[in-house]
Amino acid sequence: MKRLCLGLLAVLLLFVGVLVVRALMVRPANAPLAAPEPEVIIDQRQVSRKLSRALQIESVAQRQVDPYFEGQLTRMADFIEEEFAVVLAGVSFERHERNLVLRWHGSQPELAPLLLLAHLDVVPVERDTLEDWTWPPFSGEIAGGAVWGRGALDDKSSALAILEACQELMQSGRAPRRSLVVCLGFDEEIGGARGAALQAGRFEDEGLAPYLILDEGLALLEGLVPGVSSPVAAVGVAEKGYATVELSVAGEGGHTSMPPRQSTLGILALALARLEAQPMPARYHGAASAFLRPLAGEMPFLQKLLVVNDWISAPLLEARLSENPGTDALLRSTTALTQASAGVADNVLPLRARARVNFRIHPSDSIAAVLEHVRRTVDDERVDLQLAEGAWEPSQLSATTGAPWQDLKRVIEASFPGALVAPSLVLGATDARHFAGLGAPIYRFSPMRLGAEDLARIHGSDERIAIRDYLAMIRFYLRLIEG
Ligand SMILES: [Zn+2]
């Protein structure tokens, strides 16, 4: 017995030893600290003023056609044509409605082209939040070293930074190595059906086969990953799918003086409570592990121990990450109860009760898996289930090996010395999903620094970008485009 115990102890010690050694072997994988700057001097005053003017245009994408905002969206496209006339004169340029496409012939045209995406529309500013803005949202105020306004982060800064980079290169007599295609949409915030989706179809028809596609999505995160002090360049290699399920219960209705034991509303409420109590399964392996692994070298020892040995610690990591909505969403398809309606008066039983539940689908799930989960979880034939229109599957996973990824990683590391590059999952939706048919790897990364306080500014109040960060964005695109 004693020998057996000693034997087990030895095995246990060996096992722990292996885990610890694996953790100790992981070193920080930061980019080299000193990177040469591209030999281009950017006129800080000029580029920030131009961005400011772009932010003054109220190019709000609206689901319901509104003549004022339609005019503003047109003004935005006109603005680009006028302000970047020098660039557009040197490239081939197409305008479809307000979707802008620019093509610059590379010095090695036999190479597959680079496709850069951005959008010029923005989300509206809610009236009750106007007071929260330090400067009016469409003032484009330049103050405190930043340019302020709706679109400063999402996504006019990217659109303009790409064009500024083209202009700088052109004016210094340089050209990209690969041909460059830039596509600027005008309805990303409402799904991209008229802009990106139609343009993607045109690209498919002409057989455009990009080397890589880069769109917005994630960014350079500072102080946002617990235990990691270096900035983390989170690059979206996939984005979630989307499905809304409508639940409805029909009943007898009638007078509330003699109610049945279960009303339509009660049955629906139970179904909703079940869905919320039982989320879809979490999976650490995949998006979460791919993101955390490259960061392990910098984590405190215990955290590192878990991440490096995730073949055994995955359940622990899942439990930990699911405590926070931001990281929980990396693990699973999320369930959000969003709309409900029933009843017309307090003394009438509702004939019908309805609700909508929105799912953001993890790449390891599908629309079919969501429907199956809802059916099994609700487990009540009285509840009718329908998939609402406008669902889409999660994207494919873009490779994190191979030349396109390595090239992008190199440009990020050169632009943001000391940053850790980590592939991740975009939890929302971007225009990029429309371009999946082109068959190229799609990466979703805005080259902008985001701290904890900046996250709330995206689609929120006091959206702004530091001029220093905007210049870094231009330099990033310069490197990427020049190749
Ligand atoms: Zn955006």
Side-chain angles (χ1 to χ4, degrees):
M1 189 63 189
K2 197 174 168 192
R3 272 181 95 173
L4 182 69
C5 285
L6 281 175
L8 280 175
L9 185 68
V11 170
L12 187 70
L13 282 175
L14 185 67
F15 181 66
V16 171
V18 168
L19 299 187
V20 170
V21 167
R22 281 173 61 95
L24 287 174
M25 276 166 63
V26 178
R27 294 260 163 261
N30 306 64
L33 276 172
E37 285 296 320
E39 300 153 30
V40 171
I41 297 145
I42 302 167
D43 184 336
Q44 173 172 333
R45 206 174 127 97
Q46 206 172 60
V47 296
S48 50
R49 289 202 165 175
K50 207 181 284 186
L51 178 63
S52 156
R53 288 197 293 280
L55 299 186
Q56 290 168 37
I57 301 171
E58 290 183 70
S59 53
V60 177
Q62 298 272 337
R63 278 179 208 284
Q64 250 132 23
V65 176
D66 177 301
Y68 175 73
F69 290 114
E70 289 292 306
Q72 292 291 301
L73 285 161
T74 302
R75 215 182 120 200
M76 189 66 224
D78 295 345
F79 169 87
I80 296 291
E81 283 202 48
E82 286 153 23
E83 295 278 341
F84 291 97
V86 176
V87 175
L88 300 189
V91 300
S92 85
F93 174 68
E94 299 153 41
R95 175 166 168 168
H96 301 274
E97 210 177 330
R98 281 146 294 176
N99 192 80
L100 309 179
V101 179
L102 169 164
R103 299 167 199 250
W104 191 358
H105 218 58
S107 59
Q108 294 180 22
E110 69 281 6
L111 298 176
L114 181 68
L115 173 55
L116 301 182
L117 309 175
H119 63 91
L120 293 166
D121 59 309
V122 295
V123 290
V125 175
E126 282 178 59
R127 215 170 261 283
D128 355 340
T129 64
L130 278 174
E131 282 179 9
D132 305 337
W133 288 75
T134 309
W135 305 100
F138 293 100
S139 64
E141 188 70 35
I142 298 177
V147 188
W148 301 66
R150 174 63 84 229
L153 297 171
D154 181 12
D155 183 34
K156 287 182 183 175
S157 49
S158 276
L160 268 75
I162 291 169
L163 298 173
E164 294 287 7
C166 291
Q167 184 153 324
E168 296 294 342
L169 280 176
M170 221 173 249
Q171 286 178 341
S172 56
R174 284 134 79 180
R177 198 163 63 89
R178 290 178 186 280
S179 293
L180 169 73
V181 183
V182 179
C183 175
L184 305 179
F186 66 95
D187 62 347
E188 192 275 344
E189 298 292 0
I190 52 168
R194 279 157 70 193
L198 292 182
Q199 186 57 43
R202 286 189 284 269
F203 284 152
E204 278 178 47
D205 292 344
E206 69 181 67
L208 184 77
Y211 177 63
L212 71 82
I213 301 172
L214 182 71
D215 194 9
E216 62 172 342
L218 299 167
L220 189 74
L221 311 177
E222 283 194 335
L224 285 165
V225 185
V228 180
S229 54
S230 295
V232 175
V235 180
V237 294
E239 69 182 66
K240 282 188 148 185
Y242 186 103
T244 292
V245 181
E246 290 179 339
L247 293 81
S248 69
V249 183
E252 295 285 304
H255 204 278
T256 49
S257 57
M258 293 179 296
R261 291 301 292 263
Q262 268 193 309
S263 61
T264 53
L265 196 49
I267 295 166
L268 181 69
L270 269 178
L272 294 175
R274 282 195 197 112
L275 283 175
E276 209 167 50
Q278 200 177 314
M280 291 188 73
R283 298 174 187 87
Y284 176 76
H285 294 289
S289 61
F291 178 61
L292 291 177
R293 280 235 163 186
L295 313 181
E298 225 183 67
M299 292 174 176
F301 184 73
L302 200 62
Q303 206 175 329
K304 189 196 295 190
L305 191 72
L306 293 176
V307 168
V308 171
N309 297 293
D310 59 11
W311 49 282
I312 186 160
S313 60
L316 264 172
L317 288 161
E318 274 166 22
R320 186 73 201 280
L321 295 174
S322 62
E323 285 167 12
N324 174 308
T327 43
D328 184 54
L330 278 181
L331 299 175
R332 69 177 94 235
S333 300
T334 50
T335 306
L337 312 188
T338 52
Q339 290 176 293
S341 66
V344 290
D346 71 331
N347 58 354
V348 179
L349 287 163
L351 271 173
R352 190 177 277 278
R354 289 193 180 92
R356 298 180 119 206
V357 184
N358 182 243
F359 292 86
R360 298 303 179 107
I361 312 169
H362 193 272
S364 54
D365 285 322
S366 61
I367 297 174
V370 167
L371 288 173
E372 182 51 28
H373 164 78
V374 175
R375 205 164 289 131
R376 258 188 298 114
T377 309
V378 168
D379 192 25
D380 188 337
E381 282 175 2
R382 296 168 299 176
V383 183
D384 180 62
L385 306 173
Q386 298 289 338
L387 178 67
E389 247 180 75
W392 63 84
E393 298 284 2
S395 75
Q396 297 284 322
L397 217 70
S398 297
T400 50
T401 53
W405 169 260
Q406 291 304 336
D407 281 351
L408 176 63
K409 188 165 180 267
R410 210 168 22 244
V411 172
I412 295 173
E413 289 174 343
S415 305
F416 303 106
L420 294 163
V421 179
S424 191
L425 172 66
V426 174
L427 305 176
T430 70
D431 264 349
R433 71 180 190 283
H434 298 298
F435 296 84
L438 300 181
I442 300 178
Y443 302 113
R444 299 155 185 89
F445 175 73
S446 302
M448 60 174 67
R449 228 174 277 273
L450 291 181
E453 57 154 13
D454 297 314
L455 291 186
R457 298 179 196 271
I458 300 172
H459 292 202
S461 303
D462 263 354
E463 191 174 342
R464 63 163 190 213
I465 185 159
I467 293 170
R468 171 183 67 106
D469 292 342
Y470 182 52
L471 297 178
M473 291 179 75
I474 298 172
R475 291 203 184 91
F476 166 89
Y477 287 118
L478 260 166
R479 282 197 173 90
L480 184 68
I481 292 169
E482 193 169 24

